[in-house]
Amino acid sequence: MIRDMRLLAVATAAALVVASCQPSAELDPGAENSPVGAVIERLFSTGSVELLDAQDVRDLEEAIGTCMRAEGFEYYPEPIDAGVTVGPVSVEGVEYGSDEWTARYGFGISTQRYDPLLSNGALEGIPGGVGAALVENRNEAYVESLPASGQAAYQAALDGTPPDTRERTAEEEQRLYAGSCEGIAVAAVAPVVLLIDSLMNQLAEIGARYVAHPVVVQEAGRVERCVAEAGYDPMTELAAQMAISDRLGREVDSSIEWSNPPTLSPDGIEALKDIQELEVEWAQALAACGGLSYQRTPEVQAVIDELRDEFLAKYVTPLGNE
């Protein structure tokens, strides 16, 4: 699995921002004519986009390997069979946005958040797991063979992690990352990721304005009342997603055993199963109230369209065809 945590951070942050914008189910044919514009347009329109396909990720691994070897280290590009995706995606042929998808995967949080665990065979049998064959991590074994100083130098070359613990500014960390093998590879192979990364604060601001919009507040109140009438605590999709994520962090993350490959303890597996059942139950309750992201009202969609057009015009159009 690729080690570039920036890709995962961008994907996760973008998913959280866009989750608050109740995406529509159709693309706007007038998407901006630039890579980052196309990604932003798809995020607003569908809530799901593939930042990189599997070949992009393989190319990224090869570029990192070339750079690391030039720095005097060994690096073994890992076999990649999937890209980097933001937002819910179809799983095992079940289309996101369908009743079947919601009944099987809820919001898709646990089945996506734990992909590394669910796909390596360690958790085969839990929804979303595919039981793939285990792959030896040769890079991990190589790093462990180095002395402590060599391990620190390896990490600094790989992702810019400094060998000391001095606190650094965000600008300093950005410069260190940009000069690392991962940073150089991402800039060459996947520049759209860095462009999206540079716009995360602006995306977050748009998300906050959406949540506070009177039309959205009114619709959220309607959904909360409907869910409460069905016997649940008042909630919206975003509130339910955050609650599920919080429980996963408290009850499952702490139970991950960071072996090769990582596994969950028996208690962690039971906790994950319980949380997945609750996630599906809540998602179905919200679906019955028309409260899921793909069930937006025309009034809510008009708010999204306005914010999307403003964002594209203000932040994306100046980028041109970069």
Side-chain angles (χ1 to χ4, degrees), residues 110-295:
S110 53
T111 54
Q112 292 194 8
R113 182 169 176 174
Y114 293 91
D115 271 351
L117 290 173
L118 294 170
S119 63
N120 66 19
L123 299 181
E124 186 175 3
I126 290 181
V130 296
L134 304 183
V135 178
E136 179 185 4
N137 190 328
R138 293 189 292 171
N139 289 309
E140 183 176 294
Y142 169 71
V143 173
E144 290 177 352
S145 73
L146 299 174
S149 59
Q151 292 182 17
Y154 179 98
Q155 201 62 43
L158 179 62
D159 61 12
T161 301
D164 60 77
T165 57
R166 178 176 67 83
E167 187 173 345
R168 289 170 169 79
T169 65
E171 291 75 16
E172 288 177 313
E173 291 181 351
Q174 178 62 36
R175 285 196 297 271
L176 288 171
Y177 179 83
S180 71
C181 286
E182 283 185 357
I184 293 169
V186 170
V189 177
V192 67
V193 172
L194 298 183
L195 290 172
I196 295 294
D197 191 23
S198 72
L199 295 173
M200 289 311 302
N201 288 339
Q202 291 85 348
L203 277 170
E205 188 269 337
I206 286 288
R209 285 174 55 194
Y210 168 84
V211 172
H213 195 284
V215 170
V216 177
V217 171
Q218 182 179 10
E219 173 64 8
R222 182 197 68 78
V223 172
E224 288 178 336
R225 290 191 297 273
C226 176
V227 172
E229 290 172 0
Y232 296 91
D233 290 337
M235 62 179 145
T236 61
E237 180 182 28
L238 183 58
Q241 290 174 338
M242 292 177 67
I244 291 294
S245 293
D246 181 63
R247 281 196 59 183
L248 286 169
R250 288 185 288 105
E251 301 177 30
V252 179
D253 285 356
S254 61
S255 300
I256 295 177
E257 299 170 354
W258 294 106
S259 54
N260 182 24
T263 59
L264 278 181
S265 68
D267 287 345
I269 291 176
E270 289 305 312
L272 180 54
K273 290 179 178 178
D274 290 343
I275 292 169
Q276 286 181 331
E277 290 179 1
L278 180 64
E279 179 181 342
V280 169
E281 184 178 347
W282 282 0
Q284 289 182 303
L286 282 160
C289 291
L292 293 183
S293 57
Y294 53 85
Q295 298 173 312

Side-chain angles (χ1 to χ4, degrees), residues 2-89:
I2 190 165
R3 289 174 169 73
D4 184 10
M5 292 298 103
R6 181 169 299 271
L7 291 175
L8 301 182
V10 169
T12 300
L16 289 174
V17 169
V18 176
S20 68
C21 291
Q22 294 234 6
S24 68
E26 298 178 357
L27 288 173
D28 187 330
E32 296 294 326
N33 186 28
S34 71
V36 69
V39 170
I40 293 294
E41 171 67 28
R42 191 164 182 85
L43 280 173
F44 274 92
S45 298
T46 68
S48 178
V49 64
E50 188 175 56
L51 283 178
L52 304 174
D53 62 25
Q55 186 58 54
D56 290 332
V57 182
R58 285 191 288 269
D59 290 345
L60 201 53
E61 279 282 301
E62 291 291 343
I64 293 171
T66 298
C67 177
M68 289 296 286
R69 286 187 287 274
E71 293 290 328
F73 297 103
E74 293 293 330
Y75 185 88
Y76 305 94
E78 298 184 19
I80 303 295
D81 58 6
V84 177
T85 303
V86 174
V89 295

